Structures are given as structure tokens and as C-alpha cells.
């Protein structure tokens, strides 16, 4: 009986945490500021969705969602790589010149 | 190999000459993925997996990767266990930096020269460096062996040196686990003079 | 409490830990000041959180092929997330989108 209660509580906790993470990530996707920030945030969102689908499978014994997870993780990766390539059109441009070293000496 | 092994190997090498992209390991790996995707192990899936793997490898031949690796089980175990421990530590550290109150931390961009010339080992090192505490890889130039990385929470020169030291240690673990002769690269007395190492600006 | 119950609860605990790390990654993504520091949040806690969730799912599933599939997902993610973040970081670095506060302590460390 208490075990069932524990399961219910933990299930809601997991769901709530993942929903909160997804909402925060959506905020970052919305405010940017650059395309690459949004790409990183989208990657994290894909991972959160993978986590959520996995948790859903585990909590409701819906094991048919597992192949979905594989395709999702792979497709998310391809998307972010494509956007990164698109942003870095000048891909053979040299790295920016080193700016003067401003590291503090250890005190 | 058994008595029929020589003939089988002969046939295999002839088959490989005809189909340069098809390596047995790749067929095995693709078949395993296929079976796992279908989610049940039976004859139809295995046969279908082998067929699909062959078709994929013939239609989309991969460039031959010349891997001269030697797996050392003990060093490899050290690499994996240490990597998992580092991954946990790094995650907790970054999570703490994210949620702790007060000012958020910044980092610096730095670069260093890797010891190995092998593109595969360089890639493996770079991927692992991205997941261990303190660093994310930005850029890797295989020719000049220059690894550019971003280190979080570094403020002083000594801390920067510590990050460099950690990355070198990570590479040393990778080399000890997989490189055929790690000491030639890691031991400063035996490090061969490589032309081309000097051309970076 | 039987063994299966224990495994189920342990699986839930792993799911919870993974979800906590996901939340930490999202908070880091929001709070960190520039692209490269956000990459730290996007790679490390995210990967570990995902792996923990997969372990949790595996503990509750306990069927060999499901575990194999979860292993496959984990390996794919371990390979793809650092590579993806590397591509993004490089694109940002080469197009000069890194914050000007970043410090560059020299191109080479030992000219020997």
C-alpha cells in the first residue's frame, strides 16, 4: 500500500521535473539570442523528450515506444549538425586571432 | 581457426577484394542493430539483418579506416571506469554551478597540442574530453594536432595549466588503452621529432 | 517487499535522479552567460541524466532485448551529443559568436 503511494509520488515528481525542464529550455529557445544558442537548447529539449518517453514507457509498461527513442535521438543530432554547418558557411576560415592574455596570476 | 579455416579465409579475402567496403565487423554490428530495432531474436530477423547490412554496405561503401589499434584489457577497463566516474563528477559539478546562488561562472578558451597523430584516437580523446569535468571541445585540427577547448570556471593561469594537464592525462589513458605503442608518444625522452609540428602560427 | 518491487522502486529513483539532472541542465542553459558555457550545461548533466533515465527504464523493464535497445540508445547518445556540441561550438567560435570576455591564453603552450 505504501509502496503504491511511493510510486505515485515519484511518478508525479519525475513528470513535474521533466515538464519544468522542458519549459525552461523552451524559454531559452525563445529568447535565443543566437541561432546556435537555440540549437543547443533544442538538443537539450530532444534529450528531455527522450527522457520523458523513456519514463512513460517505464511507468506505463508501454515498451513499444523504445524504437521511437532511437530514431528521435539520431534525428535530433542530425538536425543540430546541419544547422551548425549552415551557420559556419566559412568553415575553413582560420580561428580568430588570439586576444591578449588576461588570466590572473595565482595569488 | 580450424582445418577449413585457410580455405574460408582465402574465400573471405577474395570476397573482400570484390566488395571493398564490406567488413565482417560492420555486417555483425549492423545486424545487431537491426535485431535490436525489431526487438526479438529469431531466424527471420537475423537473416534479414544480414541481408540489409550487406545491401547497405554495398550501396553505401564506407572509406576504409586503417585502424592500427591494440586493445589492452586492463588499461581499457581503467579508461572506461575512470570515464564513467568523471562523467558523474562533471555532471554534478556543472549542475551545481547551474543552480548555486550568486554570480554565474565564466570560462576561457584555450588550446593545446595532442600527442597522437591518429585521427581515430584524437576523435575519441576529444569526445571524452567534452564529457569530463571542466572542458568542452571546440575545435580539433588533425594535421596540427591542435585541440581548442573551452574550460569552465578557470580564472588563473595555474587553473588553466591544470585543465591542460587533465586533458593530457585523458589522452594518455586513451593511448594506453588502444595505441600500439603508447610510450613512444607519452615518454618525452622517446618522443620522435615530427616535422609539421612546428608549422602552427 | 519482493525483489521485483525493490527493482521497480530503484528504477523510479534512477528516473528521478535523471529528471533532476535534466532540470539542472535546463537551469544552466538559462542562467549561464554565453554560448560556450551553455554548451557545458547542454552536454554533461544532459548526457548523465539521459543515461540515468535509461538505466531506470532498464531496471523496470528487465527484458533482455529491451535492455539491448536501451544500451543502443545510450551508446548513440554518448557518441552524438559531444559531436553535436562540438559542431555547434566550432561554428560559434569560427563565426566569432563567442563572448568578447573570453580569454585566449596563447595559441601554443609549449613551443618545444
Amino acid at each position: 500500500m505504501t509502496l503504491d503511494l511511493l510510486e505515485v509520488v515519484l511518478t508525479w515528481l519525475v513528470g513535474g521535473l521533466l515538464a519544468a525542464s522542458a519549459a525552461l529550455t523552451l524559454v531559452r529557445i525563445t529568447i535565443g539570442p543566437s541561432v546556435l544558442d537555440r540549437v543547443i537548447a533544442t538538443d537539450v529539449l530532444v534529450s528531455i523528450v527522450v527522457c520523458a518517453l523513456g519514463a512513460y514507457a517505464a511507468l506505463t509498461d508501454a515498451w513499444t515506444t523504445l524504437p521511437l527513442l532511437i530514431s528521435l535521438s539520431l534525428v535530433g543530432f542530425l538536425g543540430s549538425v546541419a544547422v551548425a554547418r549552415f551557420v559556419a558557411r566559412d568553415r575553413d576560415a582560420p580561428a580568430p586571432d588570439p586576444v591578449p592574455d588576461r588570466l590572473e596570476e595565482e595569488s | 581457426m580450424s582445418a577449413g579455416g585457410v580455405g574460408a579465409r582465402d574465400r573471405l579475402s577474395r570476397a573482400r577484394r570484390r566488395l571493398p567496403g564490406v567488413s565482417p565487423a560492420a555486417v555483425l554490428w549492423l545486424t545487431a542493430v537491426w535485431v535490436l530495432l525489431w526487438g526479438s531474436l529469431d531466424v527471420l530477423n537475423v537473416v534479414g539483418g544480414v541481408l540489409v547490412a550487406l545491401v547497405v554496405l554495398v550501396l553505401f561503401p564506407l572509406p576504409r579506416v586503417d585502424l592500427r589499434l591494440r586493445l589492452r584489457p586492463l588499461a581499457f577497463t581503467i579508461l572506461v571506469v575512470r570515464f564513467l566516474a568523471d562523467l558523474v563528477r562533471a555532471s554534478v559539478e556543472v549542475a551545481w554551478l547551474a543552480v548555486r546562488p550568486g554570480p554565474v561562472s565564466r570560462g576561457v578558451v584555450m588550446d593545446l597540442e595532442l600527442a597522437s597523430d591518429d585521427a581515430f584516437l584524437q576523435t575519441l580523446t576529444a569526445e571524452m574530453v567534452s564529457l569530463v569535468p571542466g572542458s568542452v571541445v571546440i575545435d580539433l585540427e588533425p594535421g596540427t594536432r591542435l585541440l581548442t577547448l573551452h574550460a569552465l570556471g578557470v580564472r588563473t593561469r595555474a587553473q588553466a595549466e591544470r585543465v591542460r594537464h587533465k586533458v593530457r592525462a585523458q589522452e594518455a589513458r586513451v593511448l594506453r588503452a588502444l595505441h600500439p605503442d603508447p610510450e613512444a608518444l607519452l615518454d618525452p625522452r622517446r618522443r620522435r621529432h615530427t616535422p609539421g609540428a612546428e608549422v602552427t602560427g | 517487499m519482493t525483489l521485483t518491487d525493490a527493482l521497480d522502486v530503484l528504477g523510479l529513483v534512477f528516473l528521478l535522479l535523471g529528471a533532476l539532472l535534466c532540470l539542472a541542465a535546463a537551469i544552466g542553459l538559462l542562467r549561464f552567460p554565453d554560448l560556450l558555457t551553455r554548451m557545458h550545461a547542454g552536454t554533461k548533466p544532459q548526457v548523465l541524466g539521459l543515461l540515468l533515465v535509461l538505466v531506470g527504464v532498464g531496471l523496470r523493464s528487465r527484458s533482455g532485448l529491451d535492455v539491448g535497445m536501451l544500451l543502443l540508445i545510450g551508446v548513440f547518445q554518448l557518441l552524438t551529443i559531444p559531436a553535436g556540441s562540438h559542431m555547434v561550438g566550432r561554428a560559434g567560435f569560427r563565426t566569432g559568436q563567442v563572448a568578447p570576455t573570453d580569454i585566449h591564453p596563447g595559441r601554443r603552450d609549449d613551443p618545444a
Side-chain angles (χ1 to χ4, degrees):
Chain A
M1 193 60 208
T2 51
L3 206 63
D4 285 347
L5 187 67
L6 185 70
E7 279 229 17
V8 171
V9 170
L10 285 179
T11 305
W12 276 96
L13 261 177
V14 169
L17 285 172
L18 287 175
S21 331
L24 291 178
T25 313
L26 276 177
V27 173
R28 175 51 74 195
I29 293 178
T30 312
I31 63 180
S34 74
V35 179
L36 293 174
D37 287 302
R38 296 195 170 95
V39 169
I40 294 181
T42 312
D43 262 0
V44 173
L45 189 63
V46 169
S47 285
I48 291 172
V49 171
V50 171
C51 285
L53 281 175
Y56 171 76
L59 295 170
T60 61
D61 293 331
W63 302 113
T64 43
T65 51
L66 290 186
L68 202 64
L69 296 188
I70 297 185
S71 32
L72 196 57
S73 58
L74 285 176
V75 170
F77 160 72
L78 291 180
S80 68
V81 168
V83 174
R85 288 303 286 259
F86 178 71
V87 170
R89 275 285 179 75
D90 47 345
R91 61 178 275 268
D92 286 329
D97 283 336
V99 294
D101 182 349
R102 279 187 282 142
L103 278 185
E104 305 155 21
E105 295 301 332
E106 189 124 332
S107 48
Chain B
M1 275 210 178
S2 60
V6 182
R9 196 187 295 165
D10 210 37
R11 241 173 292 138
L12 197 69
S13 65
R14 224 179 307 138
R16 188 177 299 166
R17 233 171 292 131
R18 219 174 303 139
L19 301 170
V22 180
S23 81
V27 173
L28 208 64
W29 161 243
L30 286 176
T31 308
V33 172
W34 178 262
V35 169
L36 285 173
L37 282 175
W38 278 101
S40 70
L41 184 66
D42 53 40
V43 181
L44 192 63
N45 274 343
V46 173
V47 172
V50 171
L51 285 179
V52 170
L54 285 175
V55 167
V56 166
L57 288 172
V58 169
L59 286 187
F60 308 100
L62 291 169
R64 270 192 75 94
V65 187
D66 215 2
L67 290 180
R68 276 159 315 189
L69 302 178
R70 224 188 85 204
L71 185 74
R72 286 181 200 75
L74 182 63
F76 190 74
T77 314
I78 292 175
L79 176 72
V80 170
V81 171
R82 180 68 199 268
F83 172 68
L84 289 178
D86 276 347
L87 178 60
V88 172
R89 208 155 58 88
S91 304
V92 174
E93 264 175 27
V94 176
W96 169 241
L97 284 180
V99 299
R100 74 167 180 189
V104 286
S105 44
R106 296 182 164 280
V108 298
V109 178
M110 58 165 78
D111 42 25
L112 67 110
E113 200 180 301
L114 292 174
S116 112
D117 269 325
D118 188 310
F120 175 74
L121 292 177
Q122 283 178 347
T123 311
L124 197 61
T125 307
E127 288 233 347
M128 289 179 123
V129 163
S130 280
L131 294 173
V132 301
S135 46
V136 171
V137 167
I138 298 171
D139 209 342
L140 170 66
E141 286 176 47
T144 57
R145 303 186 291 188
L146 203 64
L147 183 74
T148 309
L149 50 93
H150 180 262
L152 190 63
V154 169
R155 299 190 149 276
T156 67
R157 192 179 299 283
Q159 282 175 331
E161 273 315 309
R162 238 169 281 150
V163 172
R164 285 210 174 99
H165 185 76
K166 264 198 220 163
V167 173
R168 293 225 176 80
Q170 177 68 51
E171 194 195 13
R173 281 195 291 277
V174 171
L175 293 180
R176 290 215 171 86
L178 292 171
H179 196 271
D181 186 11
E183 296 311 320
L185 296 172
L186 296 174
D187 189 347
R189 283 164 302 177
R190 280 185 60 198
R191 199 182 296 170
R192 282 154 298 176
H193 178 76
T194 43
E198 317 276 340
V199 294
T200 53
Chain C
M1 193 153 147
T2 62
L3 182 68
T4 51
D5 281 347
L7 282 178
D8 274 355
V9 172
L10 196 64
L12 263 178
V13 170
F14 270 101
L15 285 181
L16 189 67
L17 287 176
L20 273 174
L21 278 172
C22 281
L23 184 66
I27 292 174
L29 210 56
L30 213 53
R31 276 191 75 200
F32 282 160
D34 56 52
L35 179 71
L36 294 174
T37 42
R38 279 178 209 136
M39 269 169 53
H40 284 269
T43 48
K44 286 160 212 164
Q46 196 50 54
V47 168
L48 185 66
L50 194 80
L51 290 183
L52 285 178
V53 167
L54 293 180
V55 170
V57 176
L59 281 175
R60 287 178 71 92
S61 151
R62 298 188 289 273
S63 120
L65 278 163
D66 281 347
V67 173
M69 211 181 288
L70 292 168
L71 213 62
L72 207 61
I73 301 173
V75 169
F76 279 157
Q77 291 281 314
L78 269 181
L79 289 177
T80 56
I81 287 184
S85 88
H86 173 187
M87 295 291 290
V88 171
R90 187 166 75 159
F93 193 61
R94 291 196 173 178
T95 53
Q97 291 187 32
V98 289
T101 47
D102 277 330
I103 312 160
H104 202 297
R107 290 278 292 171
R108 298 276 301 277
D109 47 329
D110 55 339

